[in-house]
Amino acid sequence: MTDENTAVHLEVEPHTQQAHAVQPRPVLSRLPKYAAGRPPAPIEGLTSYKLSSNENPLPPIPAVLDAVRGREDLFRYPDPLSTRLRVALGQYLDVPADDVVTGAGSLGALTQILNTFAGQNEDSVQDEVVYAWRSFEAYPIVVGTAGARAVEIPLLPDGRHDLAAMAAAVNERTTIVLLCTPNNPTGPVLTTAEVEEFVQSVPDNVMIVIDEAYTEFIRDGDAVNGLEMYRKYPNVVVLRTFSKAHGLANLRVGYSVSRPEITQHLRVIATPFAVSTLAEEAALASLESIDEVLVRVDSLVAERERVVAGLQEIGWEIPTTQANFVWLNLGEHAVDFAEYAGRHALSVRAFAGEGVRVSVGEVEANTRFLDICRNYPNAPRLSA
């Protein structure tokens, strides 16, 4: 025993201390690191613009700012079920409120799904999650941390999912398939017909997650609507977010929509209090003024079409995009192009050896981007 006047010294040999150091899970060494879009470096005489994170360049609508201004209840925990928001979403989407599970953005909602339905390791056989690649760069991270094995199926040359190859990759170990539409970072959508054929081609016990983070920007009448698939097929789950069209990226509020036989398990593992009261109030205010939000989306879609037309006019061939970004198939020139854009006070998202994703931003930013593409000295004219 010791008392407050007794000093106890424990000497540990250096080699013993190192041998017993806390170690992370081995999977961490095999996972890529998420690379967030960087802000542009300031350039004298130029306004800097960030086109590297697919952010909405417009602030939230005034009703949202009014709803969150001056709140004094930040010392209270939020409703863990986001009940008011789920009810509002249920009415807006015409789905039962109990079919909605909120999360910290659509990525938070996806993480809850993976942690619930993937990552089982029985008899040394690892669950598999199939998705297209390249797609959302967080997929391999959250799949790996859930304990599952990522099965990445290369995109078609036009930047679209190779659904036939994805269906062929499904086996008895497959628990989840991720479909990203529009695909981030390339932009094309999946059509209703091809998704329906895909769903019918895989076993009913394989969950199909349709990630629709950019759904409000779609203008293609043939594009799949995840909610229609969820209504028809019990194994389909839809992901959506308030980060993009609603301009609430900083508040981290998203959700999944699925059948009760799925949501009952998601609620067990969902992160408590993931959506703050501030985020819930902002999302509610944005939903209540959805017409105003969609007018802003229309303006961004118009800018997207201006950028696409401008690129085509100067000879660039790009994948058909239905999102708030465009993809440049620059291959080995990707990093060089990003550095060139940076010297003109624009930050863009380069994927080394593959291409560059450029978000639709402010009008001046988009115009400067087109000028950069027109003047880039190593500009290849690549087929989509």
Side-chain angles (χ1 to χ4, degrees):
M1 284 183 69
T2 63
D3 57 31
E4 61 184 4
N5 297 318
T6 304
V8 177
H9 300 281
L10 297 177
E11 295 184 3
V12 181
E13 292 294 328
H15 70 276
T16 304
Q17 189 173 21
Q18 185 173 354
H20 292 85
V22 175
Q23 297 294 320
R25 292 166 57 196
V27 69
L28 265 65
S29 65
R30 302 191 296 271
L31 296 179
K33 293 179 173 60
Y34 184 84
R38 296 179 179 178
I43 303 293
E44 186 174 355
L46 289 175
T47 301
S48 296
Y49 293 102
K50 183 184 178 188
L51 304 182
S52 56
S53 293
N54 293 347
E55 296 160 329
N56 190 324
L58 304 173
I61 60 174
V64 169
L65 299 177
D66 290 341
V68 300
R69 186 179 292 113
R71 292 196 65 91
E72 297 180 355
D73 58 351
L74 302 185
F75 59 99
R76 300 293 187 190
Y77 285 110
D79 172 9
L81 298 179
S82 305
T83 305
R84 294 175 60 216
L85 178 56
R86 290 190 302 104
V87 169
L89 282 168
Q91 294 172 347
Y92 175 63
L93 302 174
D94 191 24
V95 303
D98 285 344
D99 285 8
V100 179
V101 179
T102 56
S106 56
L107 179 57
L110 173 59
T111 301
Q112 293 170 175
I113 292 168
L114 292 168
N115 288 342
T116 306
F117 293 98
Q120 303 177 64
N121 290 275
E122 297 181 1
D123 300 324
S124 300
V125 176
Q126 194 173 21
D127 284 353
E128 294 183 352
V129 177
V130 176
Y131 54 85
W133 194 253
R134 174 170 291 277
S135 194
F136 183 29
E137 63 182 305
Y139 286 167
I141 300 173
V142 293
V143 168
T145 54
R149 175 177 175 268
V151 179
E152 299 178 346
I153 306 301
L155 294 169
L156 295 168
D158 60 0
R160 304 181 73 251
H161 285 45
D162 186 345
L163 288 179
M166 293 177 71
V170 172
N171 58 42
E172 67 278 2
R173 297 184 298 276
T174 307
T175 54
I176 296 176
V177 176
L178 306 179
L179 303 179
C180 186
T181 179
N183 186 55
N184 175 17
T186 55
V189 293
L190 294 166
T191 67
T192 299
E194 63 186 354
V195 171
E196 188 126 35
E197 181 180 0
F198 178 81
V199 173
Q200 293 174 359
S201 72
V202 303
D204 294 341
N205 65 339
V206 174
M207 179 181 291
I208 299 171
V209 178
I210 303 179
D211 187 345
E212 295 185 322
Y214 303 92
T215 186
E216 292 89 350
F217 298 95
I218 296 173
R219 296 296 180 272
D220 185 341
D222 292 328
V224 68
N225 182 316
L227 292 177
E228 294 178 0
M229 295 296 105
Y230 134 87
R231 292 186 178 101
K232 293 182 68 173
Y233 302 101
N235 58 326
V236 169
V237 180
V238 181
L239 291 178
R240 291 190 177 180
T241 184
F242 284 84
S243 294
K244 309 301 181 182
H246 294 265
L248 302 182
N250 196 285
L251 290 180
R252 313 307 304 129
V253 53
Y255 57 95
S256 62
V257 183
S258 56
R259 300 286 190 89
E261 52 267 34
I262 294 174
T263 60
Q264 65 175 322
H265 302 297
L266 288 180
R267 295 195 199 286
V268 174
I269 209 165
T271 304
F273 313 121
V275 177
S276 70
T277 301
L278 206 66
E280 183 175 20
E281 291 297 333
L284 283 165
S286 203
L287 271 183
E288 289 169 1
S289 300
I290 189 63
D291 290 344
E292 189 175 350
V293 172
L294 295 180
V295 167
R296 293 188 173 199
V297 172
D298 285 340
S299 73
L300 293 174
V301 170
E303 273 297 286
R304 177 188 74 198
E305 297 309 306
R306 181 175 77 90
V307 168
V308 169
L311 288 170
Q312 293 172 340
E313 182 181 346
I314 59 179
W316 290 74
E317 296 182 23
I318 63 172
T320 302
T321 179
Q322 289 289 307
N324 68 334
F325 53 83
V326 296
W327 174 254
L328 307 180
N329 290 315
L330 281 157
E332 64 181 11
H333 297 291
V335 173
D336 181 68
F337 179 89
E339 292 173 349
Y340 182 79
R343 293 194 290 272
H344 294 79
L346 285 189
S347 68
V348 297
R349 181 69 174 90
F351 297 85
E354 299 180 64
V356 175
R357 188 194 67 198
V358 184
S359 308
V360 175
E362 296 84 347
V363 173
E364 180 182 347
N366 301 329
T367 300
R368 191 185 304 168
F369 165 60
L370 289 173
D371 289 339
I372 288 170
C373 289
R374 185 177 294 108
N375 298 318
Y376 179 55
N378 297 320
R381 303 299 185 252
L382 298 176
S383 296

mmCIF file of all heavy atoms in Angstrom, residues 214-247:
data_model
loop_
_atom_site.group_PDB
_atom_site.id
_atom_site.type_symbol
_atom_site.label_atom_id
_atom_site.label_comp_id
_atom_site.label_asym_id
_atom_site.label_seq_id
_atom_site.Cartn_x
_atom_site.Cartn_y
_atom_site.Cartn_z
ATOM 1 N N TYR A 214 -25.813 13.145 -55.329
ATOM 2 C CA TYR A 214 -25.968 14.261 -56.272
ATOM 3 C C TYR A 214 -27.291 14.200 -57.024
ATOM 4 O O TYR A 214 -27.425 14.772 -58.099
ATOM 5 C CB TYR A 214 -24.800 14.246 -57.269
ATOM 6 C CG TYR A 214 -23.451 14.321 -56.607
ATOM 7 C CD1 TYR A 214 -22.754 13.155 -56.273
ATOM 8 C CD2 TYR A 214 -22.859 15.537 -56.298
ATOM 9 C CE1 TYR A 214 -21.521 13.213 -55.645
ATOM 10 C CE2 TYR A 214 -21.626 15.607 -55.678
ATOM 11 C CZ TYR A 214 -20.965 14.442 -55.348
ATOM 12 O OH TYR A 214 -19.740 14.507 -54.725
ATOM 13 N N THR A 215 -28.270 13.538 -56.458
ATOM 14 C CA THR A 215 -29.502 13.248 -57.204
ATOM 15 C C THR A 215 -30.218 14.502 -57.697
ATOM 16 O O THR A 215 -30.843 14.500 -58.766
ATOM 17 C CB THR A 215 -30.458 12.389 -56.342
ATOM 18 O OG1 THR A 215 -31.575 11.998 -57.126
ATOM 19 C CG2 THR A 215 -30.936 13.148 -55.101
ATOM 20 N N GLU A 216 -30.148 15.606 -56.940
ATOM 21 C CA GLU A 216 -30.877 16.822 -57.333
ATOM 22 C C GLU A 216 -30.335 17.449 -58.612
ATOM 23 O O GLU A 216 -31.016 18.262 -59.246
ATOM 24 C CB GLU A 216 -30.831 17.856 -56.204
ATOM 25 C CG GLU A 216 -31.609 17.464 -54.949
ATOM 26 C CD GLU A 216 -30.762 16.675 -53.958
ATOM 27 O OE1 GLU A 216 -29.624 16.273 -54.319
ATOM 28 O OE2 GLU A 216 -31.228 16.447 -52.831
ATOM 29 N N PHE A 217 -29.122 17.079 -59.005
ATOM 30 C CA PHE A 217 -28.510 17.672 -60.194
ATOM 31 C C PHE A 217 -28.823 16.891 -61.464
ATOM 32 O O PHE A 217 -28.444 17.307 -62.557
ATOM 33 C CB PHE A 217 -26.986 17.750 -60.010
ATOM 34 C CG PHE A 217 -26.559 18.619 -58.861
ATOM 35 C CD1 PHE A 217 -26.297 18.065 -57.619
ATOM 36 C CD2 PHE A 217 -26.438 19.994 -59.014
ATOM 37 C CE1 PHE A 217 -25.912 18.856 -56.550
ATOM 38 C CE2 PHE A 217 -26.056 20.799 -57.955
ATOM 39 C CZ PHE A 217 -25.792 20.238 -56.716
ATOM 40 N N ILE A 218 -29.509 15.754 -61.346
ATOM 41 C CA ILE A 218 -29.775 14.891 -62.501
ATOM 42 C C ILE A 218 -30.887 15.478 -63.368
ATOM 43 O O ILE A 218 -31.941 15.869 -62.875
ATOM 44 C CB ILE A 218 -30.161 13.480 -62.036
ATOM 45 C CG1 ILE A 218 -28.996 12.823 -61.292
ATOM 46 C CG2 ILE A 218 -30.580 12.622 -63.224
ATOM 47 C CD1 ILE A 218 -29.352 11.489 -60.664
ATOM 48 N N ARG A 219 -30.637 15.498 -64.681
ATOM 49 C CA ARG A 219 -31.648 15.952 -65.643
ATOM 50 C C ARG A 219 -31.902 14.906 -66.728
ATOM 51 O O ARG A 219 -32.636 15.162 -67.672
ATOM 52 C CB ARG A 219 -31.200 17.264 -66.294
ATOM 53 C CG ARG A 219 -31.080 18.443 -65.319
ATOM 54 C CD ARG A 219 -32.411 18.813 -64.709
ATOM 55 N NE ARG A 219 -32.336 19.931 -63.767
ATOM 56 C CZ ARG A 219 -32.083 19.828 -62.476
ATOM 57 N NH1 ARG A 219 -31.879 18.609 -61.941
ATOM 58 N NH2 ARG A 219 -32.026 20.880 -61.694
ATOM 59 N N ASP A 220 -31.304 13.758 -66.611
ATOM 60 C CA ASP A 220 -31.474 12.660 -67.561
ATOM 61 C C ASP A 220 -32.730 11.879 -67.208
ATOM 62 O O ASP A 220 -32.812 11.275 -66.128
ATOM 63 C CB ASP A 220 -30.244 11.746 -67.516
ATOM 64 C CG ASP A 220 -30.279 10.635 -68.556
ATOM 65 O OD1 ASP A 220 -31.377 10.329 -69.078
ATOM 66 O OD2 ASP A 220 -29.219 10.065 -68.842
ATOM 67 N N GLY A 221 -33.698 11.873 -68.100
ATOM 68 C CA GLY A 221 -34.965 11.206 -67.833
ATOM 69 C C GLY A 221 -34.864 9.703 -67.683
ATOM 70 O O GLY A 221 -35.769 9.067 -67.133
ATOM 71 N N ASP A 222 -33.780 9.104 -68.182
ATOM 72 C CA ASP A 222 -33.598 7.656 -68.065
ATOM 73 C C ASP A 222 -32.866 7.255 -66.789
ATOM 74 O O ASP A 222 -32.698 6.060 -66.512
ATOM 75 C CB ASP A 222 -32.814 7.117 -69.272
ATOM 76 C CG ASP A 222 -33.597 7.211 -70.559
ATOM 77 O OD1 ASP A 222 -34.841 7.102 -70.508
ATOM 78 O OD2 ASP A 222 -32.970 7.400 -71.623
ATOM 79 N N ALA A 223 -32.408 8.231 -66.018
ATOM 80 C CA ALA A 223 -31.620 7.927 -64.815
ATOM 81 C C ALA A 223 -32.459 7.179 -63.796
ATOM 82 O O ALA A 223 -33.661 7.439 -63.619
ATOM 83 C CB ALA A 223 -31.089 9.221 -64.200
ATOM 84 N N VAL A 224 -31.823 6.257 -63.109
ATOM 85 C CA VAL A 224 -32.522 5.491 -62.083
ATOM 86 C C VAL A 224 -32.903 6.396 -60.916
ATOM 87 O O VAL A 224 -32.177 7.337 -60.573
ATOM 88 C CB VAL A 224 -31.642 4.330 -61.585
ATOM 89 C CG1 VAL A 224 -30.432 4.830 -60.815
ATOM 90 C CG2 VAL A 224 -32.445 3.353 -60.732
ATOM 91 N N ASN A 225 -34.047 6.133 -60.331
ATOM 92 C CA ASN A 225 -34.458 6.780 -59.090
ATOM 93 C C ASN A 225 -34.390 5.708 -58.002
ATOM 94 O O ASN A 225 -35.157 4.750 -58.018
ATOM 95 C CB ASN A 225 -35.878 7.341 -59.219
ATOM 96 C CG ASN A 225 -36.337 8.063 -57.960
ATOM 97 O OD1 ASN A 225 -36.132 7.586 -56.839
ATOM 98 N ND2 ASN A 225 -36.948 9.218 -58.136
ATOM 99 N N GLY A 226 -33.456 5.880 -57.080
ATOM 100 C CA GLY A 226 -33.243 4.866 -56.059
ATOM 101 C C GLY A 226 -34.489 4.550 -55.255
ATOM 102 O O GLY A 226 -34.708 3.399 -54.849
ATOM 103 N N LEU A 227 -35.317 5.558 -55.014
ATOM 104 C CA LEU A 227 -36.523 5.325 -54.220
ATOM 105 C C LEU A 227 -37.487 4.369 -54.923
ATOM 106 O O LEU A 227 -38.167 3.577 -54.265
ATOM 107 C CB LEU A 227 -37.221 6.659 -53.922
ATOM 108 C CG LEU A 227 -36.465 7.600 -52.981
ATOM 109 C CD1 LEU A 227 -37.220 8.914 -52.826
ATOM 110 C CD2 LEU A 227 -36.259 6.948 -51.605
ATOM 111 N N GLU A 228 -37.537 4.451 -56.248
ATOM 112 C CA GLU A 228 -38.386 3.505 -56.982
ATOM 113 C C GLU A 228 -37.869 2.075 -56.829
ATOM 114 O O GLU A 228 -38.658 1.125 -56.697
ATOM 115 C CB GLU A 228 -38.441 3.903 -58.460
ATOM 116 C CG GLU A 228 -39.149 5.233 -58.713
ATOM 117 C CD GLU A 228 -39.141 5.601 -60.184
ATOM 118 O OE1 GLU A 228 -38.593 4.820 -61.001
ATOM 119 O OE2 GLU A 228 -39.674 6.678 -60.522
ATOM 120 N N MET A 229 -36.550 1.919 -56.835
ATOM 121 C CA MET A 229 -35.965 0.591 -56.663
ATOM 122 C C MET A 229 -36.205 0.072 -55.240
ATOM 123 O O MET A 229 -36.490 -1.114 -55.035
ATOM 124 C CB MET A 229 -34.467 0.620 -56.957
ATOM 125 C CG MET A 229 -34.094 0.956 -58.393
ATOM 126 S SD MET A 229 -34.669 -0.271 -59.602
ATOM 127 C CE MET A 229 -36.066 0.640 -60.320
ATOM 128 N N TYR A 230 -36.090 0.953 -54.262
ATOM 129 C CA TYR A 230 -36.342 0.565 -52.860
ATOM 130 C C TYR A 230 -37.792 0.114 -52.682
ATOM 131 O O TYR A 230 -38.077 -0.823 -51.915
ATOM 132 C CB TYR A 230 -35.989 1.741 -51.938
ATOM 133 C CG TYR A 230 -36.982 2.088 -50.868
ATOM 134 C CD1 TYR A 230 -36.955 1.471 -49.618
ATOM 135 C CD2 TYR A 230 -37.955 3.066 -51.102
ATOM 136 C CE1 TYR A 230 -37.870 1.818 -48.636
ATOM 137 C CE2 TYR A 230 -38.866 3.419 -50.132
ATOM 138 C CZ TYR A 230 -38.826 2.791 -48.892
ATOM 139 O OH TYR A 230 -39.735 3.139 -47.923
ATOM 140 N N ARG A 231 -38.704 0.757 -53.389
ATOM 141 C CA ARG A 231 -40.117 0.378 -53.267
ATOM 142 C C ARG A 231 -40.383 -0.988 -53.892
ATOM 143 O O ARG A 231 -41.288 -1.714 -53.473
ATOM 144 C CB ARG A 231 -41.003 1.442 -53.916
ATOM 145 C CG ARG A 231 -41.017 2.780 -53.170
ATOM 146 C CD ARG A 231 -42.029 3.755 -53.766
ATOM 147 N NE ARG A 231 -42.069 4.997 -53.010
ATOM 148 C CZ ARG A 231 -41.463 6.126 -53.373
ATOM 149 N NH1 ARG A 231 -40.768 6.154 -54.507
ATOM 150 N NH2 ARG A 231 -41.543 7.199 -52.626
ATOM 151 N N LYS A 232 -39.592 -1.353 -54.888
ATOM 152 C CA LYS A 232 -39.821 -2.613 -55.593
ATOM 153 C C LYS A 232 -39.031 -3.781 -55.012
ATOM 154 O O LYS A 232 -39.487 -4.932 -55.088
ATOM 155 C CB LYS A 232 -39.451 -2.455 -57.080
ATOM 156 C CG LYS A 232 -40.362 -1.516 -57.847
ATOM 157 C CD LYS A 232 -39.975 -1.439 -59.302
ATOM 158 C CE LYS A 232 -40.238 -2.738 -60.037
ATOM 159 N NZ LYS A 232 -40.012 -2.614 -61.497
ATOM 160 N N TYR A 233 -37.854 -3.496 -54.451
ATOM 161 C CA TYR A 233 -36.952 -4.573 -54.047
ATOM 162 C C TYR A 233 -36.526 -4.393 -52.589
ATOM 163 O O TYR A 233 -35.911 -3.382 -52.231
ATOM 164 C CB TYR A 233 -35.720 -4.602 -54.951
ATOM 165 C CG TYR A 233 -36.064 -4.779 -56.407
ATOM 166 C CD1 TYR A 233 -36.070 -3.696 -57.280
ATOM 167 C CD2 TYR A 233 -36.408 -6.033 -56.910
ATOM 168 C CE1 TYR A 233 -36.397 -3.851 -58.618
ATOM 169 C CE2 TYR A 233 -36.744 -6.205 -58.250
ATOM 170 C CZ TYR A 233 -36.738 -5.104 -59.100
ATOM 171 O OH TYR A 233 -37.086 -5.269 -60.418
ATOM 172 N N PRO A 234 -36.823 -5.379 -51.736
ATOM 173 C CA PRO A 234 -36.527 -5.257 -50.297
ATOM 174 C C PRO A 234 -35.044 -5.137 -49.968
ATOM 175 O O PRO A 234 -34.697 -4.673 -48.874
ATOM 176 C CB PRO A 234 -37.096 -6.553 -49.696
ATOM 177 C CG PRO A 234 -38.065 -7.063 -50.701
ATOM 178 C CD PRO A 234 -37.534 -6.637 -52.031
ATOM 179 N N ASN A 235 -34.158 -5.545 -50.868
ATOM 180 C CA ASN A 235 -32.718 -5.513 -50.571
ATOM 181 C C ASN A 235 -32.026 -4.246 -51.076
ATOM 182 O O ASN A 235 -30.803 -4.147 -51.045
ATOM 183 C CB ASN A 235 -32.018 -6.745 -51.156
ATOM 184 C CG ASN A 235 -32.185 -6.875 -52.661
ATOM 185 O OD1 ASN A 235 -33.220 -6.507 -53.213
ATOM 186 N ND2 ASN A 235 -31.171 -7.403 -53.329
ATOM 187 N N VAL A 236 -32.810 -3.270 -51.525
ATOM 188 C CA VAL A 236 -32.235 -2.005 -52.010
ATOM 189 C C VAL A 236 -32.303 -0.945 -50.923
ATOM 190 O O VAL A 236 -33.331 -0.758 -50.276
ATOM 191 C CB VAL A 236 -32.969 -1.511 -53.277
ATOM 192 C CG1 VAL A 236 -32.550 -0.078 -53.622
ATOM 193 C CG2 VAL A 236 -32.673 -2.430 -54.453
ATOM 194 N N VAL A 237 -31.186 -0.255 -50.735
ATOM 195 C CA VAL A 237 -31.085 0.851 -49.776
ATOM 196 C C VAL A 237 -30.628 2.086 -50.543
ATOM 197 O O VAL A 237 -29.775 2.001 -51.434
ATOM 198 C CB VAL A 237 -30.067 0.534 -48.662
ATOM 199 C CG1 VAL A 237 -29.968 1.682 -47.669
ATOM 200 C CG2 VAL A 237 -30.433 -0.757 -47.961
ATOM 201 N N VAL A 238 -31.179 3.236 -50.197
ATOM 202 C CA VAL A 238 -30.849 4.498 -50.865
ATOM 203 C C VAL A 238 -30.109 5.417 -49.900
ATOM 204 O O VAL A 238 -30.495 5.532 -48.725
ATOM 205 C CB VAL A 238 -32.128 5.197 -51.378
ATOM 206 C CG1 VAL A 238 -31.776 6.503 -52.092
ATOM 207 C CG2 VAL A 238 -32.909 4.277 -52.307
ATOM 208 N N LEU A 239 -29.055 6.053 -50.397
ATOM 209 C CA LEU A 239 -28.319 7.053 -49.619
ATOM 210 C C LEU A 239 -28.524 8.427 -50.229
ATOM 211 O O LEU A 239 -28.398 8.597 -51.450
ATOM 212 C CB LEU A 239 -26.816 6.751 -49.625
ATOM 213 C CG LEU A 239 -26.294 5.538 -48.882
ATOM 214 C CD1 LEU A 239 -24.788 5.442 -49.082
ATOM 215 C CD2 LEU A 239 -26.624 5.626 -47.404
ATOM 216 N N ARG A 240 -28.804 9.416 -49.375
ATOM 217 C CA ARG A 240 -28.909 10.802 -49.839
ATOM 218 C C ARG A 240 -28.317 11.733 -48.773
ATOM 219 O O ARG A 240 -28.043 11.313 -47.655
ATOM 220 C CB ARG A 240 -30.358 11.171 -50.162
ATOM 221 C CG ARG A 240 -30.879 10.431 -51.393
ATOM 222 C CD ARG A 240 -32.197 10.940 -51.876
ATOM 223 N NE ARG A 240 -32.611 10.261 -53.093
ATOM 224 C CZ ARG A 240 -33.737 10.497 -53.757
ATOM 225 N NH1 ARG A 240 -34.589 11.418 -53.286
ATOM 226 N NH2 ARG A 240 -34.023 9.855 -54.858
ATOM 227 N N THR A 241 -28.140 12.997 -49.152
ATOM 228 C CA THR A 241 -27.451 13.924 -48.263
ATOM 229 C C THR A 241 -27.953 15.347 -48.434
ATOM 230 O O THR A 241 -28.509 15.696 -49.493
ATOM 231 C CB THR A 241 -25.934 13.889 -48.533
ATOM 232 O OG1 THR A 241 -25.264 14.724 -47.602
ATOM 233 C CG2 THR A 241 -25.609 14.358 -49.944
ATOM 234 N N PHE A 242 -27.737 16.154 -47.417
ATOM 235 C CA PHE A 242 -28.012 17.591 -47.486
ATOM 236 C C PHE A 242 -26.733 18.382 -47.783
ATOM 237 O O PHE A 242 -26.759 19.609 -47.803
ATOM 238 C CB PHE A 242 -28.618 18.077 -46.163
ATOM 239 C CG PHE A 242 -30.063 17.712 -45.989
ATOM 240 C CD1 PHE A 242 -30.433 16.471 -45.496
ATOM 241 C CD2 PHE A 242 -31.077 18.610 -46.319
ATOM 242 C CE1 PHE A 242 -31.761 16.118 -45.326
ATOM 243 C CE2 PHE A 242 -32.413 18.274 -46.151
ATOM 244 C CZ PHE A 242 -32.760 17.029 -45.654
ATOM 245 N N SER A 243 -25.635 17.695 -48.014
ATOM 246 C CA SER A 243 -24.349 18.374 -48.162
ATOM 247 C C SER A 243 -24.211 19.113 -49.483
ATOM 248 O O SER A 243 -23.572 20.167 -49.539
ATOM 249 C CB SER A 243 -23.207 17.364 -48.050
ATOM 250 O OG SER A 243 -23.148 16.819 -46.752
ATOM 251 N N LYS A 244 -24.782 18.586 -50.556
ATOM 252 C CA LYS A 244 -24.518 19.109 -51.895
ATOM 253 C C LYS A 244 -25.553 20.151 -52.316
ATOM 254 O O LYS A 244 -25.301 21.339 -52.261
ATOM 255 C CB LYS A 244 -24.461 17.959 -52.899
ATOM 256 C CG LYS A 244 -23.523 16.827 -52.491
ATOM 257 C CD LYS A 244 -22.085 17.292 -52.309
ATOM 258 C CE LYS A 244 -21.179 16.126 -51.929
ATOM 259 N NZ LYS A 244 -19.787 16.539 -51.709
ATOM 260 N N ALA A 245 -26.721 19.685 -52.763
ATOM 261 C CA ALA A 245 -27.722 20.610 -53.284
ATOM 262 C C ALA A 245 -28.173 21.627 -52.243
ATOM 263 O O ALA A 245 -28.410 22.796 -52.550
ATOM 264 C CB ALA A 245 -28.927 19.835 -53.807
ATOM 265 N N HIS A 246 -28.282 21.192 -50.984
ATOM 266 C CA HIS A 246 -28.772 22.079 -49.925
ATOM 267 C C HIS A 246 -27.673 22.980 -49.351
ATOM 268 O O HIS A 246 -27.980 23.894 -48.584
ATOM 269 C CB HIS A 246 -29.395 21.256 -48.798
ATOM 270 C CG HIS A 246 -30.645 20.529 -49.189
ATOM 271 N ND1 HIS A 246 -31.911 21.036 -48.983
ATOM 272 C CD2 HIS A 246 -30.822 19.318 -49.791
ATOM 273 C CE1 HIS A 246 -32.815 20.172 -49.424
ATOM 274 N NE2 HIS A 246 -32.175 19.124 -49.915
ATOM 275 N N GLY A 247 -26.438 22.695 -49.669
ATOM 276 C CA GLY A 247 -25.348 23.538 -49.191
ATOM 277 C C GLY A 247 -25.077 23.432 -47.704
ATOM 278 O O GLY A 247 -24.668 24.404 -47.074
#
